[in-house]
Amino acid sequence: MVNIDVAVIGGGSAGMAAALSAKENGVENILILEQGNELGGILQQCIHNGFGLQVYNEELTGPSFAQKLIDEVNNNNIDYRLETTVISITKDKQITYVNEKEGYVSVKAKSIILACGCYERNRGAISIPGVRVKGIYTAGEAQKLLNIENILVGKRVFILGSGDIGLIMARRMMLEGAKVLGVAEIMPYSNGLMRNIVQCLKDFDIPLYLSHTIIDVQGKEHVEKITIGKVDKNKKLIKGTEKDFWVDTLLLAVGLIPETSLTQTAGIQLDAHTKGPLVNDRFETTVPGIYACGNALHVHDLVDFVTMESKLVGRFVAEDILSYTTTPNLINVFPLEGVNYVLPQRLNKDVKEKVTFYFRVNKPYKESKVEFLDGDRVIKSVKKKYMLPANMERITLKKDEINNISFDLKVRVSEI
């Protein structure tokens, strides 16, 4: 069995950034395991710009952003395997993977970083009524077919879900000559970034139907017509609000879920809200020595945030392997009213440095405040002009603010 220091599962932006950071902080024996035929992950099919403003201070396309990281990986002589499927990981950090060149291989790592990304919810996950016909794709599938395979999946398109990938694909389909008849969103607000709502819908006069969902799909062998309807606050159809659209394609942009299949064999606990692993302030899961970052941990808005977070994880892993020692003194971190989830979910009271907390609100807020509480005591309060569920919020607590906590830490949001 081969012994390595750090195994990184996933060669997208998260995996590469974590590996590079671990290398920069003194770890030499690193192996990236990537299922695709090239590094870069989902970035390779995201040919639109808007990437890199935070990390590289320039606006890049997805492939350009990926190439910068790939060049760094190669320049630092970090080893990687492509077209490699990880079959299992164990609590003692043994990894079994398979590829065409090596066959079945087992390696033993001192630390494992889960950077497997996420996957799309499909029609079966949301139980869309109607017949099962051709012409229904997830937005990511349609994006890959168009941007990688040069295949336009349809000419008359409707999109369910106003997440960023749905909005971006609305614009992309229009640019390629298709007609996007509308975007339906079951929530009373969009789940995409405001810049994408403006640039991808408003600039192309594409209607956005808020508080609407698909109530029927019709067609013989291929989708021919879809029907949407307005829903009330309980997501129940309001009769008389039905609208029909004659289409040949339906794209689903109904959410992303962290890829966590490998956590089962290792016994890693998951968070019910993020759907990703539970982690502490060093991004270590409930199994010592196994870490998580990027969209495998929680779904991010921007690849820049994925990259910055993953670089931090790489440093933590290097420190834990080379020098960091501590006796765990963990407390829980809970979301209260107004907060969908908060991460990390566990916090070491004796932290060595400041900790950034990531969270999402469960509805739009205008003038409001975010409070961190130790029992009933407010230890930090931050005012916000507005917050949206589509935007991941980040607030940092200083070392002194954390080390004085007596109870579990709680986070709440309230209007001012």
Side-chain angles (χ1 to χ4, degrees), residues 325-369:
T325 57
T326 185
T327 301
N329 185 15
L330 296 175
I331 60 174
N332 294 313
V333 183
F334 294 113
L336 294 179
E337 54 267 25
V339 182
N340 188 23
Y341 75 82
V342 60
L343 188 146
Q345 299 94 341
R346 295 179 174 184
L347 179 66
N348 198 311
K349 290 174 64 175
D350 304 318
V351 296
K352 305 298 182 183
E353 57 187 278
K354 62 185 180 182
V355 175
T356 298
F357 292 85
Y358 306 80
F359 67 94
R360 290 183 188 271
V361 292
N362 57 19
K363 66 177 184 179
Y365 282 88
K366 291 185 179 179
E367 292 288 340
S368 57
K369 60 181 177 181

Side-chain angles (χ1 to χ4, degrees), residues 95-110:
I95 302 166
T96 302
Y97 69 83
V98 61
N99 59 40
E100 186 177 354
K101 292 182 179 179
E102 299 173 281
Y104 283 87
V105 179
S106 292
V107 297
K108 183 70 180 300
K110 293 180 180 177

Side-chain angles (χ1 to χ4, degrees), residues 372-379 404-410:
F372 289 78
L373 299 98
D374 173 22
D376 295 327
R377 180 175 65 94
V378 177
I379 61 175
N404 292 325
I405 293 175
S406 301
F407 304 97
D408 288 332
L409 183 64
K410 299 175 183 178

Side-chain angles (χ1 to χ4, degrees), residues 64-125:
S64 297
F65 188 102
Q67 192 60 51
K68 283 183 173 289
L69 289 171
I70 293 170
D71 290 343
E72 289 184 65
V73 167
N74 290 327
N75 291 338
N76 282 275
N77 297 315
I78 295 175
D79 196 13
Y80 57 87
R81 303 284 187 273
L82 300 177
E83 298 182 322
T84 296
T85 300
V86 177
I87 298 172
S88 66
I89 61 176
T90 64
K91 287 186 176 181
D92 61 355
K93 296 176 284 298
Q94 181 176 321
I95 302 166
T96 302
Y97 69 83
V98 61
N99 59 40
E100 186 177 354
K101 292 182 179 179
E102 299 173 281
Y104 283 87
V105 179
S106 292
V107 297
K108 183 70 180 300
K110 293 180 180 177
S111 292
I112 296 174
I113 300 175
L114 299 175
C116 321
C118 58
Y119 61 92
E120 296 178 280
R121 285 189 176 93
N122 55 30
R123 179 179 182 176

